[in-house]
Amino acid sequence: MSTLSVSNITDGTDTVETGYVVNGSAKAWVNWNGTGTVAIRDSFSVSSITDSGTGQYDPNFSSSFDNTNYVGSGAFAWGSNGNQMIALPDTVSKGRADTLAGNAYVDHVTIGVLYVGDLA
């Protein structure tokens, strides 16, 4: 295996430090249809999603996180107030994503989450 060691990456116009890319970028994200049979539209480092019940999903990571101290964030659209998107760590190999309208779990056609942290 070879190692490439650089301090900056550039496209000829913009330059960014490699530490920012390694430490500050989402390590996993996914956009999916959460109604009926769960279907991933697009993703990075998410191999599949387990449907764990109405409004409850477990994105499975292609690359595990180093520990369960990573952070999740997400969004979905619903036609009323009181909506919640909960995106949390679960294990190093899968996250948790829940969608609620008021106090009730709901499936939705467009859901997106991302996870940030250190990979193993």
Side-chain angles (χ1 to χ4, degrees):
M1 181 167 115
S2 298
T3 300
L4 178 63
S5 179
V6 296
S7 57
N8 295 300
I9 298 172
T10 184
D11 65 0
T13 304
D14 297 314
T15 300
V16 65
E17 294 178 23
T18 54
Y20 178 80
V21 174
V22 172
N23 297 318
S25 301
K27 301 305 188 295
W29 60 263
V30 60
N31 176 307
W32 76 94
N33 180 342
T35 61
T37 301
V38 173
I40 294 175
R41 288 189 188 90
D42 200 0
S43 68
F44 175 75
S45 199
V46 173
S47 57
S48 63
I49 297 176
T50 301
D51 188 344
S52 297
T54 301
Q56 301 173 335
Y57 312 93
D58 297 311
N60 300 294
F61 305 132
S62 302
S63 299
S64 294
F65 281 88
D66 187 44
N67 55 53
T68 57
N69 296 323
Y70 58 91
V71 176
S73 181
F76 79 107
W78 195 263
S80 64
N81 293 327
N83 303 325
Q84 301 177 64
M85 174 67 186
I86 303 167
L88 298 170
D90 191 9
T91 71
V92 295
S93 60
K94 72 179 181 77
R96 182 69 182 187
D98 296 339
T99 52
L100 295 96
N103 293 326
Y105 288 98
V106 294
D107 287 340
H108 197 268
V109 69
T110 303
I111 304 168
V113 297
L114 62 86
Y115 297 93
V116 179
D118 294 329
L119 295 178

